[in-house]
């Protein structure tokens, strides 16, 4: 549940989601659920010439199971909070 | 709503684009869904991309797409979709998801 809670704090921030087929989608994080499925608003595909498939898509849902990376906005990440949270989780 | 708002209720009867794990691209009107992301698409077509020729549409009618096999569901902006000259869009087909 740690990452679910953590992603909830990032709602409204701009993130880039890289999928397991190398497609990378940037957008504003709108919502996240327990499976880490995410909804992004105002999406833009990185490398639109190679991947024009999503040209007419504004908002999208991405299934958690196909996400490889989520690139977070560096300026809104408090590493200390993450450290504490992961340690607490590890201790159980 | 901050989170938990992950259903597709607001997308019912609108045009959606579905990318599947095997790299295919379906576009249709969303008629139903469930908690496993299984989708029911009405008046669905598949968009087949190739580098040699423009995008081709393959009409499929009513389709059920199993949630396991779905990677992305996009809300299609119909106006913007109509502006794009898809028959001139040359692109390599999407590669499949490799876990």
């Amino acid at each position: 549940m740690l990452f679910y809670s953590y992603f909830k704090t990032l709602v409204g921030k701009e993130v880039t989601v890289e999928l397991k087929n190398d497609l990378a989608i940037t957008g504003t994080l709108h919502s996240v659920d327990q499976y880490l499925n995410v909804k992004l608003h105002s999406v833009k595909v990185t490398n639109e010439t190679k991947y024009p498939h999503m040209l007419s898509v504004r908002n999208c849902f991405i299934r958690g199971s196909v996400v490889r990376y989520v690139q977070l906005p560096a300026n809104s990440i408090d590493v200390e909070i993450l450290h504490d949270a992961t340690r607490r989780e590890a201790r159980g | 709503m901050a989170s938990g708002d992950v259903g597709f209720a607001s997308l019912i009867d609108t045009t959606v684009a579905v990318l599947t794990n095997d790299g295919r691209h379906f576009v249709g009107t969303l008629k139903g869904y469930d908690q496993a992301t299984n989708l029911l698409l009405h008046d669905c077509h598949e968009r087949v991309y190739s580098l040699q020729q423009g995008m081709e549409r393959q009409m499929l009618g009513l389709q059920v797409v199993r949630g396991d096999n779905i990677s992305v569901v996009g809300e299609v902006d119909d106006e913007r979709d109509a502006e794009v000259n898809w028959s001139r869009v040359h692109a390599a087909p999407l590669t499949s998801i490799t876990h």
Side-chain angles (χ1 to χ4, degrees), chain B residues 10-98:
Chain B
S10 61
L11 296 185
I12 290 288
D13 286 327
T14 66
T15 311
V16 295
V18 177
L19 301 183
T20 60
N21 290 0
D22 58 0
R24 294 200 278 180
H25 185 190
F26 297 103
V27 177
T29 309
L30 186 69
K31 285 293 176 187
Y33 66 94
D34 67 9
Q35 71 284 3
T37 343
N38 297 317
L39 301 181
L40 186 61
L41 299 177
H42 183 247
D43 266 339
C44 177
H45 66 270
E46 181 181 348
R47 294 187 173 179
V48 184
Y49 297 87
S50 94
L51 286 171
Q52 282 74 40
Q53 47 190 329
M55 185 272 283
E56 251 176 52
R57 283 165 213 254
Q58 198 129 53
M59 297 312 293
L60 298 169
L62 189 68
Q63 288 282 105
V64 179
V65 191
R66 190 171 158 83
D68 287 346
N69 201 26
I70 288 175
S71 44
V72 176
V73 182
E75 291 181 53
V76 172
D77 182 332
D78 287 319
E79 276 173 33
R80 210 195 291 190
D81 197 56
E83 283 167 15
V84 178
N85 190 353
W86 288 104
S87 61
R88 287 176 151 272
V89 172
H90 294 240
L94 283 170
T95 48
S96 55
I97 297 279
T98 45

Side-chain angles (χ1 to χ4, degrees), chain A residues 1-86:
Chain A
M1 285 311 251
L2 194 154
F3 284 95
Y4 169 50
S5 315
Y6 191 68
F7 278 120
K8 278 201 289 189
T9 69
L10 293 174
V11 164
K13 303 280 187 341
E14 184 158 286
V15 296
T16 301
V17 179
E18 184 184 320
L19 309 188
K20 290 176 185 170
N21 59 3
D22 299 331
L23 183 67
I25 304 172
T26 305
T28 309
L29 187 63
H30 171 74
S31 60
V32 57
D33 70 6
Q34 54 177 330
Y35 307 108
L36 304 188
N37 296 330
V38 294
K39 269 191 180 170
L40 301 182
H41 277 191
S42 320
V43 300
K44 199 151 183 70
V45 170
T46 321
N47 198 348
E48 243 173 15
T49 39
K50 191 175 175 197
Y51 302 110
H53 316 71
M54 303 274 281
L55 272 177
S56 52
V57 171
R58 245 195 211 126
N59 307 328
C60 78
F61 162 93
I62 302 171
R63 208 163 191 272
S65 60
V66 302
V67 174
R68 184 184 290 140
Y69 300 119
V70 181
Q71 297 171 26
L72 308 172
N75 51 10
S76 57
I77 305 299
D78 189 335
V79 181
E80 286 305 312
I81 291 179
L82 259 183
H83 276 168
D84 290 346
T86 45

